Amino acid sequence: MSSDTFEKPDPPKFTFKDIQLATNDFAAENLIAETSTSKVYEVQRLQSEEDEKVELINVLVHVLKYVLTAETVFRLPEACFPLLSVNNNIISVVGYCGKLDEEVTVIVMQNEANGSLDKHLSSKTLTWIQRLRICLGIARAIHYFHYGFREGMSVIHGNIKSSRILLDDNWEPKLFGFEFSVVCKPSHPLVRIIKYGGSLEYMDPAFEKTGGINQKSDVFSLGVVLFEVLFGQRARIQNDNRWYFADLARRHYEETRLDELIDPDLRQQMDSQSLHIFSETVYRCLKEQREQRLDTSRLVKKLEKALEHQLRHENPVSISIF
C-alpha cells in the first residue's frame, strides 16, 4: 500500500458542546446501544459551532471508555482515524471529539442504512451469497487491521461481535467498536491486558491461560460471528458456559450435523462445496490453541473461494467476487 494512501486529511474535530447539543445532552431517547465501556447515540443532525457549513446527517456518536493494558502499548489514537476509512469494510469516521479525560473519547461515525448485523442474523430474506459477502468483508477489515494498517503497526481490534458490524444499503459490512483496540508491532506475541473487555461469548479461551490477546484472538471472535451468520442466531451463554455457542458449533461440525442448525430454506440455496469450504474454514478459527487457527490472509482466501463456488453455482456464466 503506497504511502500517499495515508495522506487523507483528519476528520473534523467537534467540541464537547457540539456533541452535547446533538445528543440533547446524551438523552436516553437517543441512546441505541450501551455496554460497560461505551454508549452509542443515534443523531440525525450534527453541526460544529466553529464552522456553520459543516453539517452531518444521520450519524452515530460513539462514546468510548478505553480499557487499560498491562503493557506499554498504544490505544488506537485519534491520529489513526483517517486510516480507518481507507478500508471499505471499516466504518467511516467523519469526526471526533478530543479526549474528555485520559480514558474517554468520542467518535462520530457514519450511520448505515441497514443497522447492525445482529439484527439481521435470522432474516429469511438475507441470501447465502449476501451472507458470504458480509463474512468476507468482515474478514478483509480485520486483515487490514492486522497487516495493512501501516508498516510496522498492527491493530488488534479486541471487540469483534455482530453488534459491532453495520450494514450499508448494499449489505456491505462496516466494522466499528474501537474501545478495546490496541496498537502493537505485527510480530508482537502477546498484549497483556488487565481485564477482558469484550463480550464473553466471543472471548478467546486462551486469554484465561495467558492473560493477554493477539491477532489470533480476533480470529476466534470472528469465527463466532461467522457461525452466527451461518446458523442465523446470536451467540449465547448457557449454564455459565461462556463458550457454549463455540462448543456447539465445533461439535456439530465434527459430527457432520451442521444441517441441524442451518435454516432449511437457506440450506437449499447453498452449493455443497461452498458450504464445505466455509464451515471448515470457520471451524479452524475456533481452535482452542491459537497457533492452530488460520491467520487472516488465509481466511480471506478461503472465504473468497467459498463465494466463488456459490457464484458459479448460481450463475455459471459470470463470476465476480469483488
Side-chain angles (χ1 to χ4, degrees):
M1 189 175 294
S2 64
S3 60
D4 59 2
T5 303
F6 302 113
E7 293 178 2
K8 189 170 182 176
D10 256 333
K13 283 189 176 182
F14 295 98
T15 68
F16 186 51
K17 186 175 181 181
D18 296 332
I19 305 296
Q20 279 184 305
L21 289 172
T23 59
N24 193 21
D25 201 16
F26 304 100
E29 61 263 25
N30 293 321
L31 182 67
I32 61 171
E34 180 178 10
T35 69
S36 61
T37 56
S38 73
K39 294 183 179 182
V40 181
Y41 297 86
E42 187 171 26
V43 176
Q44 293 302 316
R45 189 177 297 270
L46 176 57
Q47 182 171 309
S48 172
E49 282 192 333
E50 296 178 0
D51 186 353
E52 294 182 359
K53 296 179 182 179
V54 176
E55 186 173 295
L56 305 171
I57 306 300
N58 196 15
V59 296
L60 298 179
V61 174
H62 197 182
V63 183
L64 314 178
K65 182 176 177 63
Y66 286 101
V67 176
L68 299 178
T69 67
E71 293 185 347
T72 306
V73 295
F74 295 99
R75 299 189 297 258
L76 190 66
E78 287 93 341
C80 291
F81 292 164
L83 309 187
L84 298 175
S85 300
V86 170
N87 184 281
N88 190 50
N89 294 117
I90 298 175
I91 200 72
S92 179
V93 175
V94 294
Y96 63 94
C97 176
K99 291 182 180 177
L100 310 179
D101 56 37
E102 291 184 353
E103 297 180 10
V104 179
T105 194
V106 179
I107 302 176
V108 182
M109 309 173 298
Q110 180 178 317
N111 202 359
E112 299 296 345
N114 284 308
S116 56
L117 174 61
D118 60 312
K119 304 296 195 302
H120 298 279
L121 291 171
S122 61
S123 170
K124 294 289 186 179
T125 60
L126 202 61
T127 67
W128 180 232
I129 280 185
Q130 287 175 313
R131 290 171 186 263
L132 283 171
R133 288 190 183 278
I134 289 170
C135 293
L136 177 57
I138 303 165
R140 284 172 171 166
I142 297 166
H143 178 67
Y144 173 75
F145 263 100
H146 289 178
Y147 303 111
F149 199 69
R150 176 176 277 176
E151 186 176 355
M153 176 189 292
S154 180
V155 177
I156 302 170
H157 185 278
N159 192 25
I160 297 165
K161 53 185 177 181
S162 51
S163 63
R164 288 294 182 264
I165 298 160
L166 296 181
L167 301 168
D168 69 12
D169 52 354
N170 291 316
W171 300 97
E172 190 75 23
K174 310 286 184 178
L175 182 64
F176 76 103
F178 312 118
E179 61 265 44
F180 304 115
S181 298
V182 293
V183 178
C184 60
K185 293 184 180 299
S187 59
H188 201 92
L190 195 70
V191 176
R192 298 193 182 277
I193 56 178
I194 295 173
K195 67 174 183 176
Y196 185 81
S199 297
L200 295 179
E201 56 268 46
Y202 301 87
M203 184 178 81
D204 178 3
F207 168 72
E208 289 197 333
K209 297 178 181 178
T210 64
I213 58 175
N214 64 12
Q215 289 87 350
K216 294 295 183 72
S217 303
D218 279 350
V219 170
F220 184 91
S221 301
L222 174 60
V224 174
V225 171
L226 299 193
F227 267 125
E228 285 183 310
V229 174
L230 177 64
F231 299 153
Q233 58 178 287
R234 293 188 66 172
R236 61 193 185 278
I237 296 172
Q238 187 166 306
N239 299 326
D240 294 326
N241 177 8
R242 64 191 64 177
W243 298 292
Y244 169 79
F245 186 84
D247 290 342
L248 182 75
R250 282 195 298 251
R251 186 169 66 252
H252 277 73
Y253 175 84
E254 291 166 354
E255 297 173 358
T256 63
R257 295 191 296 120
L258 285 178
D259 283 359
E260 295 179 9
L261 298 176
I262 302 173
D263 180 89
D265 293 335
L266 185 65
R267 180 64 183 89
Q268 285 185 351
Q269 301 173 25
M270 296 176 177
D271 172 74
S272 58
Q273 188 66 6
S274 172
L275 175 60
H276 171 73
I277 293 171
F278 180 89
S279 57
E280 179 187 40
T281 300
V282 182
Y283 171 74
R284 293 178 66 185
C285 293
L286 295 186
K287 292 287 188 178
E288 293 198 21
Q289 301 297 319
R290 286 172 174 159
E291 60 271 17
Q292 295 178 0
R293 299 173 198 161
L294 293 176
D295 64 26
T296 51
S297 60
R298 294 187 64 193
L299 175 58
V300 166
K301 290 177 181 178
K302 293 278 190 180
L303 293 178
E304 287 175 344
K305 185 62 81 173
L307 178 56
E308 181 182 324
H309 277 279
Q310 186 65 28
L311 288 167
R312 185 179 292 116
H313 172 74
E314 296 193 20
N315 186 8
V317 177
S318 176
I319 300 176
S320 176
I321 63 174
F322 300 103

